[in-house]
Structures are given as structure tokens and as C-alpha cells.
């Protein structure tokens, strides 16, 4: 009887076809997981504490220099005085950036205005006081876009109401000139209740980035420290329709980190060197 066997040649061809199908499917699957990054048309240049490379950080002059450079936004950190005034300062204390010492929250506005700001690089004091947020708005009005950071005051929600009041007084929300950022979700939730139209950014501290959390929150922008920015993180956030805005904790490595994250197509730079970022984005 003739054996009903498949010729070896045909088995070989079938094997090759199977392998090709398997390889093709796995390539497609791979493509699904890690899509090509979307090219970001015009990433935002956000002047971190003003042009802090050329003048005392978080001063009216530092913001004026940044504005003359036509940045996309002025980044502003808030602190609160004992009498509830919102002032522009990053640190909890005035030690590093002024000629005084002590926690901001232990001074009244009148007291805090006695101090002068210091250039943190040269340690030179200039006769420029710490600005209030209101003074920043009085200076620039609706000519600039403001990217404002809120935080809890002694663990409590305190700056959100006065902030929204001030933004309304200057008509900045209706003119869409505001983004509010915070490391505190509680603060962002309060802002959202008070002013649902304001776009929000959830910030993650260095080493604390959580992709699942970032993907699940209902905010359009996610702020990540440069060392936590990876291709996977950027791609997955883009797939959720979110923008990635990067800040740089290490000034020594900031320029190389900007180049690295630029290659990953991030959407915004909290830059400490506006000219460098502008040049990088023009390449
Ligand atoms: O606002 C982004 C970035 O400013 C967050 O870091 O500590 O410089 O306020 P920090
Ligand atoms: Ca900030």
C-alpha cells in the first residue's frame, strides 16, 4: 500500500509559512504596545521661576526678561503669608533666595516686604523685593500665559480660594491664560471644583513617577522630573491624550537631559535656560 505521507518539501514550506505568520504577528503586537511616538509640533517653553539664569529667581525682573524672550508661559510658585497674601516663592523658607531667614508662613506681607532678593548663583543682593502674585498680574496683565503651582499650607488647603479670586479679578481664566500645577491632588481637586475650566497638571516628584496613576487621572498634563522620563512613559501618556511637561532638578545635567527628552518628543520644558531650550527646539 502506498503510504499517505506529506512530502518533506511541502512540510518545509508549511513550516516556513507558520514561522512567518508568528514573526509577523509578534511584530504587530510589539507595534501595538510601543507605537511610534507622535511628533510634537511646538513644545512649550515654560520659564521656570522666570529667567532665573539671568536674574534672581521668582522676581518681577526675572519674569520680565523671560517675557522679552517670548516664552510660552511664566512658571510661578506660590507661598502664603500669615495674613493670607499669595507671594511668589519656591522654597518654604526665605533663606536661600533673600537676605533674611525663616519660614514664609511666619511673616505678614508687610514683614516679608522688608527683605531683598538674592541672586542664588552670585549671592549678590539686589534692591528687589519678593513679589506678590497680584504684583505679577499687575505687571503683565493679560500679555502673558501663567503656569502656577499650588501647594498645601501646613498640610491644609488654603491658597486655592484666594488664587481663583485673584485670577477672576484679572479675567485670566476667561481668557484661557492659566494652567495650574501641583504635587498635591487634593489641591488640584479643589481648584477643579472652584474653576472647572482651568487646565491642570499633576506633578510627580523625582523617583515617584507612577505611570498607572498618571494615566488614570483626569488631567490633560503630567509633570515629570527629567530622570523619570522614558520613551515608554511618554508614549503611554500620549496614547491617553496627555501632554508630558518636564522639570529638571539637577541644573548641572539639565542641558543634556533636555536633549535626551527632546528626542522622546516631550511637550513642555520647565526650563532654567530659555535660550538653550529655544535653540534646541529650533534644530
Ligand atoms: O513646576 C514644575 C517644577 O517647578 C516642579 O518642581 O520644585 O521646581 O517647583 P519645583
Ligand atoms: Ca514650581
Amino acid at each position: 500500500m502506498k503510504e499517505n505521507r506529506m512530502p518533506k518539501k511541502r512540510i518545509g514550506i508549511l513550516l516556513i509559512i507558520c514561522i512567518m505568520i508568528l514573526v509577523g504577528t509578534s511584530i504587530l503586537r510589539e507595534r501595538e504596545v510601543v507605537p511610534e511616538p507622535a511628533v510634537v509640533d511646538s513644545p512649550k517653553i515654560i520659564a521656570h521661576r522666570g529667567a532665573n539664569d539671568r536674574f534672581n529667581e521668582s522676581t518681577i525682573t526675572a519674569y520680565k526678561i523671560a517675557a522679552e524672550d517670548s516664552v510660552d508661559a511664566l512658571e510661578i510658585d506660590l507661598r502664603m503669608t500669615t495674613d493670607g497674601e499669595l507671594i511668589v516663592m519656591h522654597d518654604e523658607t526665605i533663606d536661600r533666595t533673600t537676605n533674611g531667614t525663616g519660614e514664609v508662613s511666619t511673616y505678614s506681607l508687610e514683614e516679608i516686604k522688608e527683605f531683598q532678593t538674592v541672586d542664588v548663583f552670585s549671592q549678590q543682593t539686589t534692591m528687589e523685593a519678593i513679589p506678590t502674585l497680584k504684583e505679577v498680574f499687575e505687571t503683565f496683565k493679560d500679555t502673558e500665559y501663567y503656569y502656577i503651582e499650588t501647594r498645601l499650607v501646613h498640610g491644609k488647603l488654603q491658597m486655592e480660594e484666594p488664587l481663583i479670586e485673584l485670577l477672576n479679578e484679572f479675567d485670566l481664566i476667561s481668557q484661557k491664560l492659566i494652567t495650574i500645577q501641583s504635587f498635591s491632588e487634593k489641591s488640584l481637586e479643589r481648584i477643579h471644583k472652584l474653576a472647572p475650566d482651568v487646565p491642570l497638571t499633576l506633578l510627580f516628584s523625582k523617583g515617584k513617577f507612577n505611570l498607572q496613576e498618571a494615566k488614570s487621572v483626569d488631567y490633560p498634563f503630567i509633570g515629570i522630573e527629567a530622570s523619570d522620563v522614558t520613551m515608554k512613559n511618554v508614549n503611554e501618556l500620549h496614547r491617553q491624550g496627555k501632554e508630558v511637561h518636564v522639570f529638571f532638578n539637577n541644573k548641572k545635567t539639565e542641558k543634556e537631559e533636555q536633549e535626551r527628552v527632546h528626542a522622546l518628543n516631550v511637550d513642555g520644558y520647565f526650563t532654567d535656560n530659555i535660550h538653550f531650550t529655544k535653540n534646541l527646539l529650533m534644530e
Side-chain angles (χ1 to χ4, degrees), residues 21-37 231-232 235-236 239:
I21 290 171
L22 280 172
V23 170
T25 318
S26 76
I27 286 171
L28 283 176
R29 247 192 240 130
E30 191 115 316
R31 286 222 173 117
E32 259 173 36
V33 175
V34 186
E36 286 296 310
M231 173 121 266
K232 179 174 187 250
N235 284 350
E236 294 227 8
R239 285 185 69 181

Side-chain angles (χ1 to χ4, degrees), residues 178-217:
I178 296 295
T179 289
I180 294 179
Q181 48 167 337
S182 191
F183 289 101
S184 164
E185 268 210 80
K186 262 165 91 175
S187 179
L188 292 180
E189 282 163 14
R190 175 62 64 89
I191 295 283
H192 187 65
K193 269 200 187 131
L194 296 167
D197 293 338
V198 173
L200 302 176
T201 304
L202 179 61
L203 299 169
F204 287 86
S205 313
K206 180 176 175 168
K208 299 274 172 62
F209 180 68
N210 181 325
L211 181 60
Q212 288 318 313
E213 187 186 350
K215 279 166 66 175
S216 67
V217 292

Side-chain angles (χ1 to χ4, degrees), residues 48-49 75-77 90 147 149 151 181 183 203 270:
H48 191 226
R49 309 179 200 170
E75 196 261 347
I76 294 172
D77 291 286
H90 176 268
Y147 204 133
E149 181 174 344
R151 40 176 50 86
Q181 48 167 337
F183 289 101
L203 299 169
F270 290 100

Side-chain angles (χ1 to χ4, degrees), residues 89 94-101 115-118 120 125 130:
M89 178 163 293
I94 62 172
D95 301 18
R96 184 179 61 88
T97 57
T98 78
N99 57 0
T101 56
F115 301 107
Q116 303 299 326
T117 58
V118 165
V120 294
T125 305
I130 301 163

